[in-house]
Amino acid sequence: MSAPTTVQKLAAEALGTFWLVLGGCGSAVFAAKVIADDDGTQLGIGFLGVSIAFGLTVLTGVYALGHISGGHFNPAVTVGAALARRFQWKDVPGYVVVQVIGGLIGGAIILLIANGKEGFEAEGSMAANGFGDHSPGGYTLWAALVAEIVLTAIFVIVILGATDTRAPQGIAGIAIGLALTLIHLISIPITNTSVNPARSTAVAFFNGNGAPGQLWLFWVAPLVGALLAGILYPLVFDKGANEPELDQIPNPAVSA
């Protein structure tokens, strides 16, 4: 079987990020809070359901597309992998650009569908990330910064560890999906959970309501977290020079 071309890798990253935004942010917009008309019963999936939805998008995306592009779907993962010498720096810009584009298309599709409901107002209703007055729980800038740095670092470490050749084979995608689910369970009340600049960008401008002005934090913090993970994982765990690159494994979700 021939190796994927650059175009195929970029297409896979765009599609995977699109799926992450559509599945994760879409579940928050459409299904997190649904009230029954007859008796007012809450039928929505809530924070737990949204957390699971984000985890499922990554899990399914990695198994479907990981053998093509490595299944990053996140600029922080791409940068962390490059810092850990598991991905070539020359390919980072292309991956980041298509991740952002794929995410924006996902956000636009959510908006298009949401506008099909009478009375929908996009402002403040597009699952944007935020801090202070725009944090679901009212958490400050510093709390948001610390949460996003730490949780992104852990997420990237999980990815690097799960795709290490010494890790159990065939379950990397499960570990990565569950890690993202847990991260959302922790941090939806804090920032609505980013750990992914492409996910944040995907809905910020459609959401308005202060989200574009706070977008900087959801680029800076995940990239700092990725920096820490990309340096610490090989330094502490001595992954060795023979580790596969995250876009060249036959399937990082299946064969690690």
Side-chain angles (χ1 to χ4, degrees):
M1 182 180 295
S2 60
T5 66
T6 298
V7 171
Q8 290 172 329
K9 291 179 183 181
L10 295 178
E13 283 299 302
L15 178 59
T17 312
F18 165 84
W19 176 230
L20 184 148
V21 170
L22 183 63
C25 295
S27 70
V29 172
F30 302 128
K33 185 177 181 181
V34 180
I35 307 298
D37 293 334
D38 51 357
D39 60 1
T41 302
Q42 165 63 281
L43 302 176
I45 61 176
F47 285 177
L48 175 60
V50 173
S51 299
I52 293 171
F54 270 101
L56 288 174
T57 62
V58 170
L59 188 155
T60 55
V62 166
Y63 278 106
L65 301 167
H67 59 288
I68 300 171
S69 67
H72 300 191
F73 317 143
N74 182 340
V77 172
T78 299
V79 169
L83 285 163
R85 296 186 295 278
R86 302 271 289 277
F87 188 71
Q88 297 183 51
W89 279 107
K90 68 181 179 63
D91 294 326
V92 169
Y95 265 49
V96 171
V97 168
V98 298
Q99 287 159 359
V100 171
I101 292 172
L104 285 168
I105 295 172
I109 293 294
I110 293 171
L111 180 62
L112 179 64
I113 295 170
N115 280 328
K117 180 178 181 179
E118 185 177 354
F120 176 77
E121 294 289 341
E123 185 172 357
S125 302
M126 289 291 292
N129 302 116
F131 54 85
D133 292 340
H134 304 292
S135 159
Y139 287 84
T140 65
L141 182 156
W142 290 108
L145 189 68
V146 171
E148 289 289 332
I149 290 173
V150 171
L151 292 174
T152 305
I154 295 297
F155 186 47
V156 175
I157 286 172
V158 168
I159 292 170
L160 294 173
T163 55
D164 193 311
T165 54
R166 298 166 297 179
Q169 304 296 290
I171 61 171
I174 297 172
I176 294 165
L178 289 176
L180 191 61
T181 298
L182 178 55
I183 286 168
H184 278 76
L185 288 172
I186 295 168
S187 59
I188 286 179
I190 304 171
T191 62
N192 227 10
T193 309
S194 173
V195 302
N196 184 340
R199 170 263 187 268
S200 299
T201 304
V203 295
F205 297 99
F206 300 123
N207 184 88
N209 193 36
Q214 295 188 348
L215 185 58
W216 65 269
L217 185 142
F218 301 103
W219 275 87
V220 171
L223 291 177
V224 171
L227 171 68
L228 294 174
I231 293 172
L232 288 176
Y233 185 85
L235 181 66
V236 174
F237 300 108
D238 188 27
K239 73 178 185 66
N242 63 340
E243 288 298 326
E245 294 185 353
L246 286 185
D247 69 335
Q248 295 181 356
I249 308 171
N251 189 334
V254 177
S255 62

